[in-house]
Amino acid sequence: MEHIDLRSDTVTSPSPGMRQAMAAAPVGDDQYGEDPSVNRLQERIADLLGKQSALFVPSGTMANQIGLKILTRPGDEVVVGEEAHVVWHESGAAAANSGVQFAVVGRGGLFTASDLRAAYKPPGHIVFPPTTLAAVENTHNRGGGVVFPQQDAVAVCATARELGLASYLDGARLFNAAAATGRPLTELAAPFDLVAVALSKGLGCPVGSLIAGGTDEIARARRARRMFGGAMRQSGILAAAGLFALEHNLERLVEDHANARLLADRLAGLRGVSLDLATVQSNIVIFQMTEDGPDAATIVARAQEAGVLLSAFGVRTVRAVTHLDVTRDQCRRAADLLAAVIEHR
Ligand SMILES: *Cc1c(COP(=O)(O)O)cnc(C)c1O
């Protein structure tokens, strides 16, 4: 059976056009700075984000780990929203690689400047770990793909600067935030010292993320990338997929958002499902199975039998993600199948 795969927007396969672009890419040794495709992609992303410079890295996790590495020192504290990717999905890397700890603030992945101020611990205190970084995630994965309100991003970064902290944006899905709000990427990126974006999520590339910021930060990021083993050679093959995706797959993200909305509207009406439609702002739908019914693992298993793949994100939490390899018709069909699975009991 051909499953409708809504586990993640990372499950997409490169399209024939993307594969052609990859095959035809001019390449060179990127560690000598000689890969024209990588150089073009880095310039393009720096430009799109309004930053001086950008660096191509193998994964979003590595982008985040490089950001933490160059903006903190061991023993520092990093302020993040609830269920941040750096806390939940990076295998403990922040503690292992950079020796930092997290202060989790706010609600549902979002937080305000006053949350940051309340959590802030100054340097030089006899017992406190010094807060040196504020890290925002936009859109917020475990928060259900919610957009970080721009006025809060601006205020958080202004407060960070006032307190002497650095600011970092995990924008693995920043392209979705731009599509959801209609705000330019430059505006979303502007408040932050360093910004990461992923090619392997909604843009449908097989591999890659970029980290963008000032020339000095990116020079330090280049060294950290080498230290983490992420410096590559003829990686223009991969960068070409990114250049292709920026041309062809950026504008269409709104379709994924409309498909997620269609799915969410249907799921929210089902008995045994608790779904806050206000959180459905982009391509992610996160819902809870109520206590009186089957748990997330049961629903995921039954959905798989019915032909729909989902992720269990908690004991009663389920995630569905739309992407360029699922059509509107498939999402409609998935909604029908899930309704049958969930209401059948
Ligand atoms: C997917 C994701 C990443 C990066 O994940 P990789 O699998 O390492 O590319 C980082 N941050 C967020 C919010 C993500 O959703």
Side-chain angles (χ1 to χ4, degrees):
M1 176 170 41
E2 188 70 37
H3 285 90
I4 302 170
D5 195 344
L6 303 177
R7 286 172 301 171
S8 176
D9 46 10
T10 58
V11 300
T12 56
S13 293
S15 65
M18 182 179 281
R19 285 172 185 268
Q20 262 172 26
M22 295 171 76
V27 296
D29 191 330
D30 180 53
Q31 290 200 50
Y32 293 101
E34 290 173 2
D35 191 301
S37 301
V38 170
N39 291 340
R40 249 182 81 208
L41 177 65
Q42 289 176 165
E43 282 160 25
R44 186 81 213 290
I45 290 286
D47 205 42
L48 275 175
L49 297 174
K51 300 296 185 195
Q52 287 176 334
S53 193
L55 186 71
F56 187 44
V57 298
S59 72
T61 297
M62 188 176 287
N64 287 347
Q65 290 306 310
I66 289 171
L68 291 169
K69 188 72 182 173
I70 68 174
L71 298 175
T72 65
R73 302 184 65 172
D76 286 359
E77 190 164 88
V78 178
V79 173
V80 293
E82 282 182 341
E83 301 200 25
H85 195 279
V86 284
V87 179
W88 277 70
H89 287 202
E90 300 184 10
S91 222
N97 292 329
S98 297
V100 293
Q101 68 180 35
F102 291 109
V104 177
V105 301
R107 230 22 236 270
L110 310 180
F111 61 95
T112 63
S114 59
D115 292 328
L116 172 60
R117 210 176 277 281
Y120 169 70
K121 301 167 190 72
H125 190 276
I126 51 165
V127 294
F128 289 163
T131 311
T132 52
L133 177 64
V136 163
E137 189 175 314
N138 192 16
T139 65
H140 199 285
N141 182 2
R142 296 185 66 93
V146 290
V147 174
F148 202 95
Q150 191 58 15
Q151 70 272 18
D152 288 329
V154 168
V156 161
C157 292
T159 300
R161 203 159 303 115
E162 179 199 319
L163 297 171
L165 321 180
S167 57
Y168 179 80
L169 175 58
D170 176 357
R173 293 194 182 83
L174 195 66
F175 299 115
N176 293 94
T181 58
R183 290 181 194 270
L185 287 159
T186 46
E187 183 188 351
L188 297 174
F192 296 90
D193 295 327
L194 270 182
V195 178
V197 292
L199 303 174
S200 54
K201 299 283 166 73
L203 289 188
C205 296
V207 176
S209 276
L210 289 101
I211 183 164
T215 313
D216 291 352
E217 281 94 3
I218 297 304
R220 293 172 60 214
R222 181 170 284 107
R223 178 177 179 219
R225 180 181 69 170
R226 178 69 185 174
M227 290 174 76
F228 287 154
M232 299 175 283
R233 299 294 180 175
Q234 285 73 27
S235 36
I237 296 273
L238 304 172
L243 290 164
F244 178 92
L246 292 173
E247 287 301 318
H248 297 93
N249 298 343
L250 200 50
E251 305 272 304
R252 59 155 306 286
L253 288 175
V254 288
E255 295 171 30
D256 297 342
H257 296 188
N259 290 341
R261 168 56 55 173
L262 175 156
L263 202 58
D265 282 343
R266 189 71 189 285
L267 290 167
L270 301 178
R271 193 164 51 95
V273 169
S274 167
L275 198 171
D276 180 1
L277 283 171
T279 65
V280 184
Q281 300 173 9
S282 59
N283 67 327
I284 299 178
V285 181
I286 287 187
F287 58 96
Q288 316 288 325
M289 297 305 302
T290 53
E291 293 288 341
D292 55 340
D295 64 7
T298 306
I299 289 301
V300 168
R302 288 184 191 164
Q304 178 165 2
E305 280 169 32
V308 182
L309 302 182
L310 305 168
S311 297
F313 249 45
V315 177
R316 310 207 71 86
T317 309
V318 181
R319 188 185 77 165
V321 186
T322 58
H323 50 79
L324 86 172
D325 281 1
V326 287
T327 64
R328 189 160 186 85
D329 275 348
Q330 285 177 307
C331 289
R332 213 173 269 126
R333 171 113 186 96
D336 287 342
L337 291 166
L338 291 176
V341 159
I342 290 168
E343 294 215 306
H344 175 258
R345 302 273 169 135

